[in-house]
Each structure stands twice: as C-alpha cells, then as structure tokens.
C-alpha cells in the first residue's frame, strides 16, 4: 500500500492514474455513443501530461538527472537509461504523433483511431512503470 499511498505525491498520482484508466475504459465501452473524439483526445493529452509530471516527481526522475549531472543527490528509483524510461519515451512518441495527427484529421472515425493510439501509448507507459515499480 505504501507504494501507492505512501505520501501525497504517490496518492495523487494513484488517483489520477485510476481516473485516466477509467476514462479510457469508459470511452472504449461507450465508443458507439461518442460523437466528438477530438475533445476526448484533448482531455487525454492534458490529463496525461499532469499525470506524467506527478509520476516523474513520484519516481524521482529529477533526482536521477541531477545525480547524473553532478552527483549532488541520490538518484530516483529508475536509472536514467532503463526499460521504464525507454518505454516511456516510446509511449510519449505515440501520444505526440497521435495528438498532431488528430489536429489535422476532420473525420470522427479517424479521430477515434488516433484516440485509441494515444490511449494505447498512455497505457503502455502506465503498465511498464507500475510493473517496474512493483518489481523493485
């Protein structure tokens, strides 16, 4: 429990992650009733960015970078070059590509597909980091 509710940052990150997973799951289940996929994509981008900031703070990414620069502090829980960070970059690339493509897409069906790709990138990041945290 301490891993997900140990302090304010971990608690907020856990709540935000749960909210994103619920939103994406609801969107997938109710996909036939959704008319405006661009709005959902915008929400995933904005909300996902907030979660990413909290997760980076929770996992000490800033400390890992500072440690590599000058060694003035202990590193965070992941190495700078690690599976969670590499997969996180790949997931972020998927999200960015889908976000840019959504801007230029006028067809709602195509926006739905971009939403799924964006959500898939987010879920890839979440699953990889959370499994890695459990294995530490």
């Amino acid at each position: 429990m301490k891993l997900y509710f140990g302090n304010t940052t971990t608690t907020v990150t856990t709540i935000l992650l749960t909210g994103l997973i619920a939103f994406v799951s609801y969107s997938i289940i109710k996909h036939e009733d959704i008319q405006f996929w661009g709005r959902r994509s915008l929400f995933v981008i904005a909300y996902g960015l907030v979660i990413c900031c909290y997760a980076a703070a929770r996992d000490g990414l800033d400390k890992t970078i500072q440690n590599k620069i000058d060694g003035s502090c202990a590193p965070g829980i992941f190495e700078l070059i690690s599976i969670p960070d590499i997969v996180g970059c790949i997931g972020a690339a998927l999200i960015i590509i889908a976000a840019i493509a959504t801007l230029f897409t006028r067809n709602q069906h195509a926006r739905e597909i971009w939403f799924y790709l964006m959500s898939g990138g987010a879920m890839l990041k979440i699953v990889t980091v959370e499994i890695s945290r459990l294995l530490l």
Side-chain angles (χ1 to χ4, degrees), residues 90-111:
I90 293 168
L94 287 172
I95 293 167
I96 291 168
I97 290 167
I100 292 170
T102 299
L103 291 173
F104 298 103
T105 304
R106 298 289 172 227
N107 180 330
Q108 288 299 316
H109 179 68
R111 283 185 175 176

Side-chain angles (χ1 to χ4, degrees), residues 33-61:
D33 300 331
I34 297 170
Q35 295 178 5
F36 302 106
W37 286 97
R39 293 176 187 171
R40 291 195 173 270
S41 296
L42 179 61
F43 180 79
V44 168
I45 292 166
Y47 194 71
L49 181 59
V50 171
I51 293 171
C52 201
C53 292
Y54 270 96
R58 173 196 69 188
D59 298 337
L61 181 59

Side-chain angles (χ1 to χ4, degrees), residues 6-22:
N7 60 40
T8 304
T9 305
T10 57
T11 302
V12 170
T13 305
T14 300
I15 292 168
L16 291 173
L17 285 171
T18 305
L20 182 64
I21 292 168

